[in-house]
Amino acid sequence: MPTINIDKKSLFDYLGNEYDTEGFRDLGFRFGIELEEETYKGEVEDEDNMELKIDISANRYDLLCFEGLSRALGIYLGREQTPNYRIAPGAKPQRIVVSKECAQVRPYVVGAVLRGVKLTPERYKSFIDLQDKLHFNLCSKRKLVSIGTHDLDTVQGPFTYEARKPEDIKFIPLNQTELMDGHRVIEFYGAKDSPIEKYLDIIRHSPVFPVVYDANGTVMSLPPLINSEHSKITLDTRNIFIEITATDFTKVGITLNILLTMFSGYCAEPFAVEPVEVIYPDGKSIVYPDLEPRTMHTTAKYLNGIVGINQSSEEIVALLKKMSLEAAVENADKGEISVKLPPTRPDILQECDIAEDLAIAFGYNNIPRAANSEATVGVPLPLNKLDDIVRREIAMAGWTEALTLSLCSHDENFTFLRRTDNGNEAVVLLKPKSLEFQECRLSLLPGLLKCIRENKMHALPFKMFEVSDVVFKNPERPTGTQNQRRACALFSSSSAQFEVTSGLLDTLMTALNVPHRKGAGGYYLEAADIPTYLPGRSANVVRVAENGDKIILGSIGVIHPEILRNFELDYPVSSFEINIEPFL
């Protein structure tokens, strides 16, 4: 949970000096923030020199600075209206041209201009602090998004966003006097205790570094590391040019909108910003920012039901306005409500998020207490109940259950099992911490084979099984992935004894009331050439549904010697692995 430090006197003055510390603590609790403590900002213990340390919800990026928090509280208390964030009328957009090489490092860039800004030391500090908070939180420590801000009057558009070799980039970094190239920047900040040091690895090993130039070829910033001294913002700056580079298209837009909405109130025309046109290598042009409210539709019945209150549509609309949400009744008879979500609220994704804001506006302490009107009895999910039946039957047959890891290496998923990766099956981890855990397993077999490998000191035979999930890609699912519950058993001894494994499969099928026959409702083995098994010693396990449809549940056979060598096993192995979900 992010924590911000707010000047106590400034905030209380903004709120009309109607609160003392305890009163503000209560207000914060009702609004959904928490006053952690109040402390003196320096050594001088003066009432006017105190600051409040406040905990903010991690998804409320609009509350990470004095401007956002004070404005949100003012709206909540009815002291002000939600601002009309907009593009300044008649403003000619600045332009950023993106080179194709940027796709190698940070492909996205957005921008905007704050015109006629009046900065004070307090506002300047808040502006920098918000960027730091966004970098640490939303921007994932600059890995996804990095912010650059510049004095527009010191540079000239149009601007270019390029990716060049480090030795070709030369500029004086912020607050320095030495002219450096890209390599020198890495060396300089890597050799000293600098806040930039922890970001160096983001581009350190890249063949090209991202860089922003103005029309005169002056370097403005080297994202995601540091801006140029040339375009440095000072208290005298009146026009601020913002460029934000990223690897995440969604988060770069959110970051820009948060930064603009928080500080556009200081512009000559409050809450109006000037746009920037971004032209990509393929000729595509996008104008930023997009400050248009998103519209979401809901009903009074849904919101009342979620919160546990009974408010009319008009009352709900009035309550939502306290949370900076402009709402209107669309159909009074049906209780339909449309809600306009301002660019400050990217945290609202579904109707339930609106219900949460309604509960805050209504007051959690004001929600009537009521007993649960629906009595329920806990029961296992059908799949888990089937899982227990399968595990019990195999264990009662004298086999030992194992519980192996759901992650494995790429080789264990494919090469070690003599399988070919077509790119459409395995769910791959983006940044695995170890070569052992690169992908979600596609089979239970590698885990059991490794289990035997690590227990060679035990006496033969090994009779092991596992009933658990495998994971594979499924683009038709919302997550793009799908779990499948499987049962896998293997037998290892001085000989493979395929009949032992086949006998266990028959025992399991009998317990599930699936006889060994080719007719409806039965199952049978169908010869198949499966690379995991010895040629001529493998088969598909086929179930025949009541309507005559055939379903391949899995496979059975004697493991190929090459696989035994891959897993460093000394004795033959026979196994089967089947999908048990069709038995539901």
Side-chain angles (χ1 to χ4, degrees):
M1 180 177 288
T3 301
I4 62 173
N5 296 320
I6 298 291
D7 183 78
K8 177 181 176 180
K9 184 177 186 304
S10 298
L11 182 59
F12 283 15
D13 286 347
Y14 190 95
L15 299 177
N17 290 312
E18 297 178 1
Y19 298 91
D20 57 13
T21 301
E22 289 306 313
F24 180 79
R25 190 186 303 274
D26 179 68
L27 171 64
F29 177 81
R30 288 186 280 120
F31 185 68
I33 60 177
E34 182 180 355
L35 175 60
E36 188 171 309
E37 62 178 346
E38 60 174 343
T39 59
Y40 295 105
K41 288 189 286 186
E43 297 180 359
V44 180
E45 296 186 0
D46 183 9
E47 185 67 24
D48 292 338
N49 193 40
M50 300 191 72
E51 64 182 7
L52 305 175
K53 190 175 182 180
I54 303 173
D55 291 335
I56 306 294
S57 297
N59 62 345
R60 289 300 302 270
Y61 312 119
D62 58 314
L63 304 181
L64 291 176
C65 62
F66 170 82
E67 290 74 13
L69 179 61
S70 60
R71 191 179 304 149
L73 289 174
I75 296 170
Y76 176 75
L77 296 171
R79 298 174 57 87
E80 57 185 292
Q81 299 295 316
T82 303
N84 175 26
Y85 304 107
R86 62 198 182 279
I87 302 296
K92 183 180 179 181
Q94 294 285 348
R95 180 177 295 179
I96 302 177
V97 180
V98 183
S99 71
K100 62 181 180 181
E101 290 79 12
C102 292
Q104 302 177 54
V105 277
R106 301 176 80 82
Y108 305 114
V109 63
V110 299
V113 174
L114 296 176
R115 181 76 65 176
V117 175
K118 295 181 180 180
L119 293 177
T120 64
E122 293 75 22
R123 293 175 181 179
Y124 179 82
K125 181 179 183 301
S126 181
F127 187 59
I128 300 301
D129 287 347
L130 176 60
Q131 293 178 56
D132 290 340
K133 287 287 192 298
L134 292 175
H135 276 148
F136 188 81
N137 187 357
L138 176 62
C139 304
S140 296
K141 300 180 181 178
R142 303 194 190 185
K143 293 178 182 178
L144 300 182
V145 181
S146 64
I147 305 167
T149 55
H150 313 274
D151 187 335
L152 182 60
D153 296 327
T154 65
V155 293
Q156 183 179 344
F159 308 95
T160 57
Y161 175 47
E162 306 178 23
R164 293 189 179 184
K165 293 180 180 179
E167 58 268 25
D168 296 336
I169 302 171
K170 293 180 172 61
F171 72 109
I172 300 176
L174 186 66
N175 297 327
Q176 301 299 324
T177 56
E178 178 187 346
L179 181 67
M180 306 183 191
D181 66 5
H183 291 305
R184 176 57 179 155
V185 170
I186 299 294
E187 177 188 3
F188 180 79
Y189 289 104
K192 59 184 295 186
D193 185 15
S194 165
I196 304 298
E197 182 183 7
K198 56 179 173 287
Y199 306 122
L200 297 179
D201 285 341
I202 300 177
I203 62 170
R204 185 198 299 269
H205 303 294
S206 174
V208 292
F209 287 2
V211 59
V212 179
Y213 290 96
D214 77 346
N216 298 320
T218 303
V219 173
M220 297 168 58
S221 70
L222 184 70
L225 301 184
I226 195 165
N227 293 337
S228 166
E229 175 71 13
H230 178 83
S231 57
K232 176 181 179 179
I233 290 179
T234 67
L235 295 180
D236 296 325
T237 298
R238 292 294 173 262
N239 303 306
I240 300 176
F241 177 74
I242 300 172
E243 48 83 9
I244 304 179
T245 61
T247 59
D248 188 301
F249 183 76
T250 300
K251 289 190 175 181
V252 71
I254 294 174
T255 304
L256 177 65
N257 284 350
I258 293 297
L259 199 59
L260 293 176
T261 52
M262 295 302 99
F263 289 91
S264 57
Y266 299 140
C267 290
E269 184 181 349
F271 307 112
V273 301
E274 294 186 8
V276 167
E277 180 184 14
V278 178
I279 301 176
Y280 285 96
D282 59 0
K284 182 180 180 182
S285 174
I286 305 178
V287 177
Y288 294 97
D290 180 9
L291 298 178
E292 286 297 314
R294 296 176 292 130
T295 301
M296 188 176 290
H297 299 278
T298 184
T299 63
K301 180 180 179 181
Y302 173 83
L303 297 177
N304 282 325
I306 290 290
V307 178
I309 57 179
N310 184 22
Q311 299 287 292
S312 66
S313 299
E314 291 75 13
E315 291 171 327
I316 290 175
V317 166
L319 288 170
L320 291 178
K321 287 184 178 179
K322 295 175 61 178
M323 303 302 295
S324 305
L325 306 181
E326 294 296 325
V329 179
E330 283 192 329
N331 188 320
D333 294 335
K334 296 182 179 180
E336 295 177 351
I337 299 172
S338 67
V339 183
K340 290 186 176 181
L341 310 176
T344 55
R345 298 301 305 275
D347 57 298
I348 298 181
L349 304 175
Q350 302 175 12
E351 284 184 82
C352 58
D353 298 320
I354 299 176
E356 179 184 10
D357 271 18
L358 175 62
I360 294 173
F362 185 82
Y364 281 106
N365 290 337
N366 299 326
I367 298 175
R369 294 180 178 271
N372 188 359
S373 60
E374 297 182 6
T376 59
V377 178
V379 295
L381 294 172
L383 181 58
N384 290 342
K385 189 173 183 179
L386 173 63
D387 180 295
D388 290 340
I389 293 173
V390 172
R391 291 167 56 229
R392 182 173 64 249
E393 290 298 327
I394 300 179
M396 290 174 63
W399 294 60
T400 302
E401 183 176 11
L403 183 62
T404 63
L405 299 174
S406 58
L407 297 178
C408 65
S409 70
H410 179 270
D411 285 344
E412 290 167 352
N413 250 347
F414 295 100
T415 306
F416 286 6
L417 295 182
R418 304 181 76 241
R419 298 182 57 200
T420 302
D421 182 8
N422 60 15
N424 298 322
E425 294 181 279
V427 177
V428 182
L429 274 66
L430 180 61
K431 294 181 179 179
K433 296 296 184 183
S434 167
L435 293 178
E436 294 181 278
F437 308 117
Q438 296 174 305
E439 301 175 350
C440 295
R441 62 184 176 188
L442 293 169
S443 168
L444 302 180
L445 183 59
L448 292 179
L449 291 174
K450 288 193 293 183
C451 195
I452 293 179
R453 181 187 68 196
E454 302 302 324
N455 290 275
K456 289 181 179 180
M457 71 291 296
H458 293 285
L460 296 174
F462 287 100
K463 299 166 68 177
M464 307 188 69
F465 77 96
E466 181 174 9
V467 182
S468 192
D469 282 1
V470 298
V471 184
F472 53 89
K473 291 181 180 178
N474 185 346
E476 297 180 359
R477 293 290 185 91
T479 61
T481 64
Q482 179 177 342
N483 284 31
Q484 187 179 92
R485 190 67 53 86
R486 291 188 181 180
C488 179
L490 59 79
F491 178 89
S492 178
S493 187
S494 55
S495 61
Q497 297 187 36
F498 173 79
E499 66 276 8
V500 176
T501 307
S502 177
L504 177 65
L505 177 63
D506 197 53
T507 299
L508 176 60
M509 290 299 190
T510 300
L512 296 174
N513 197 27
V514 181
H516 193 163
R517 69 184 183 203
K518 288 191 175 183
Y523 91 97
Y524 64 95
L525 304 183
E526 182 179 68
D529 185 14
I530 302 172
T532 304
Y533 303 107
L534 274 172
R537 302 294 300 275
S538 61
N540 287 326
V541 181
V542 182
R543 183 192 180 195
V544 183
E546 295 297 336
N547 59 5
D549 292 342
K550 296 180 180 180
I551 304 171
I552 297 179
L553 299 177
S555 59
I556 185 172
V558 178
I559 299 296
H560 197 284
E562 181 182 336
I563 295 177
L564 299 182
R565 287 195 297 272
N566 291 336
F567 285 93
E568 303 174 19
L569 300 182
D570 303 323
Y571 295 96
V573 176
S574 61
S575 75
F576 73 79
E577 183 170 355
I578 61 172
N579 174 18
I580 65 173
E581 292 182 6
F583 297 109
L584 288 175

